[in-house]
Amino acid sequence: MPALTIQPPTLADIEALYAFELSNRSYFETWINARPADYYSLSGVAQAIESAQHDAAKDLAYQFLVRENGVLLARVNLTQVKRPHLQQAALGYRVGQEHQGRGVAKGAVRLALQQAFSELGLWRVEATSRPENPASVKVLLANGFTQFGHAKRCFQLGTCWYDLLHFEAHAEH
């Protein structure tokens, strides 16, 4: 597994994040809905970083850039933070197409869970995956997630509807 680091995005990351998103745009859009067209500019990425910083300051969501030797490989996010009684968040991640199959997703999720269950004090993290993405399911299971549901035709991508598998992981208390 690669030696990965995760850090919240800063304005110093604008050019690297812009290049990452632009070079992986078509690939990502086969799995998730497209970002607005104005995101794909330096100013759009700057606005997204500022929004991510605002969300983290308000304890709403936490975004991280995943790097190996300074190279941006992936993103991992903890969104939909719910406090005080649930102490949970939703996990999402995306790995650049050229970095697939090297353990990047597995390592990024591991690092995000460490953040979630230690520094952020969360008790539960949820994630979803489409059944057509067995690699993502494998990443979740390898990081201690268990499946707790299967929602039928609940996610629309373009004109198609897809099922989602629901997973959860808990802090060890």
Side-chain angles (χ1 to χ4, degrees), residues 47-61:
Q47 288 176 343
I49 290 171
E50 289 170 349
S51 178
Q53 291 172 332
H54 175 267
D55 287 350
K58 297 286 186 186
D59 193 36
L60 300 172

Side-chain angles (χ1 to χ4, degrees), residues 67-125:
R67 288 189 166 91
E68 178 185 42
N69 299 321
V71 177
L72 180 57
L73 309 178
R75 301 182 65 168
V76 62
N77 306 312
L78 295 163
T79 62
Q80 302 171 38
V81 174
K82 297 177 185 171
R83 299 195 198 261
H85 305 293
L86 295 175
Q87 305 293 353
Q88 74 180 36
L91 172 79
Y93 53 93
R94 57 178 81 183
V95 176
Q97 187 172 16
E98 68 185 75
H99 305 294
Q100 298 286 319
R102 298 192 312 117
V104 173
K106 182 179 176 181
V109 169
R110 178 181 49 79
L111 293 170
L113 289 176
Q114 288 173 357
Q115 286 279 329
F117 296 144
S118 59
E119 287 88 353
L120 300 177
L122 297 172
W123 298 341
R124 182 172 190 263
V125 174

Side-chain angles (χ1 to χ4, degrees), residues 102-173:
R102 298 192 312 117
V104 173
K106 182 179 176 181
V109 169
R110 178 181 49 79
L111 293 170
L113 289 176
Q114 288 173 357
Q115 286 279 329
F117 296 144
S118 59
E119 287 88 353
L120 300 177
L122 297 172
W123 298 341
R124 182 172 190 263
V125 174
E126 293 184 1
T128 60
S129 179
R130 288 179 22 205
E132 301 86 4
N133 191 350
S136 186
V137 171
K138 185 177 176 182
V139 164
L140 295 172
L141 295 174
N143 276 286
F145 281 82
T146 56
Q147 185 177 338
F148 71 91
H150 184 151
K152 304 282 187 181
R153 295 179 44 84
C154 66
F155 173 71
Q156 186 178 16
L157 179 61
T159 60
C160 297
W161 285 90
Y162 295 93
D163 292 3
L164 285 178
L165 306 175
H166 292 264
F167 295 86
E168 63 185 351
H170 296 266
E172 297 178 17
H173 286 270

Side-chain angles (χ1 to χ4, degrees), residues 7-19 45 49 65 67 72:
Q7 293 293 323
T10 69
L11 293 176
D13 297 310
I14 291 172
E15 289 184 16
L17 185 53
Y18 172 68
V45 171
I49 290 171
L65 303 181
R67 288 189 166 91
L72 180 57

